[in-house]
Amino acid sequence: MARPTRSSDWGFPRWREYGAEREAVKVRLCDRHGCDAPGDRPAPKSPNSPDRWYFCETHAGEYNRNWNYFEGLTAEEAAQREAEERRDAGGFAESKHNGWAGPGDGSRSRDEMRALEVLELDVDADFDAVRLAWRRLAKSNHPDVRPGDADAAKRFQAIQAAYDVLKAAEERRTWKPD
């Protein structure tokens, strides 16, 4: 009587290298009628469909040359679909690491530079200097100190907004996970 063996020999000790099984390796053939080459290059059956054809290299090239993604669409529909698929969120967020303005080392964004100008500080001011300048300017331009002065109220709001920008940037720089 034959001794029963496992189809996939994963026991110890291994007498063969990993990936060498006793069964024959399953090879998917090209989906082109009459082709016996391995079909290892997937190609879409239709737009917006998860189904795929699997062709050999020769027939995949032929299929790609004849493939028209916008087949059956008018020119306006094709342009609309292309615009929808090319759209991304790039216009909604400004990159934090590629600021065009800032000190030579690129550590400050354009918004931080504007905030430093509002607080009348140098480019290389640390956060302690920011806090001192904010307190000084906020006290001198506060609406309670200068009642009825609309320009002072606007300056106070700008000073407060500048401090909020710099405080958020400092928290981002010094944040550490717990």
Side-chain angles (χ1 to χ4, degrees):
M1 178 167 203
R3 185 173 143 226
T5 59
R6 297 171 67 176
S7 60
S8 182
D9 187 11
W10 292 100
F12 182 81
R14 283 197 59 84
W15 302 109
R16 292 181 302 280
E17 67 272 0
Y18 287 102
E21 299 179 1
R22 295 177 184 203
E23 293 87 21
V25 177
K26 296 177 184 172
V27 176
R28 184 180 190 117
L29 295 180
C30 179
D31 284 335
R32 182 69 178 258
H33 180 68
C35 183
D36 293 332
D40 54 355
R41 282 149 174 90
K45 286 189 176 182
S46 64
N48 302 327
S49 172
D51 296 331
R52 300 281 184 249
W53 296 108
Y54 288 89
F55 293 119
C56 64
E57 185 173 359
T58 306
H59 292 123
E62 178 185 332
Y63 182 82
N64 288 338
R65 280 190 297 275
N66 296 326
W67 171 258
N68 183 4
Y69 183 74
F70 300 108
E71 185 176 1
L73 298 177
T74 64
E76 294 83 20
E77 292 172 338
Q80 181 182 3
R81 179 181 282 179
E82 182 179 6
E84 287 175 0
E85 292 182 2
R86 287 182 184 255
R87 184 177 59 208
D88 63 351
F92 297 104
E94 183 178 320
S95 174
K96 299 289 186 233
H97 62 279
N98 266 344
W100 288 97
D105 61 353
S107 63
R108 294 199 188 267
S109 69
R110 182 179 297 143
D111 293 335
E112 292 173 67
M113 296 301 294
R114 288 184 192 135
L116 288 171
E117 287 177 10
V118 169
L119 294 177
E120 304 169 358
L121 290 172
D122 293 330
V123 176
D124 57 349
D126 61 341
F127 193 69
D128 293 331
V130 168
R131 188 178 293 121
L132 290 173
W134 168 70
R135 290 178 68 89
R136 177 180 48 83
L137 292 171
K139 283 182 182 181
S140 64
N141 292 300
H142 198 277
D144 290 344
V145 175
R146 294 185 172 189
D149 189 358
D151 291 335
K154 286 182 183 178
R155 280 194 305 269
F156 178 77
Q157 289 175 349
I159 291 165
Q160 188 62 40
Y163 178 74
D164 291 341
V165 166
L166 292 169
K167 182 178 178 185
E170 182 67 17
E171 288 175 357
R172 276 195 308 270
R173 275 192 205 92
T174 60
W175 181 82
K176 293 184 178 94
D178 293 330

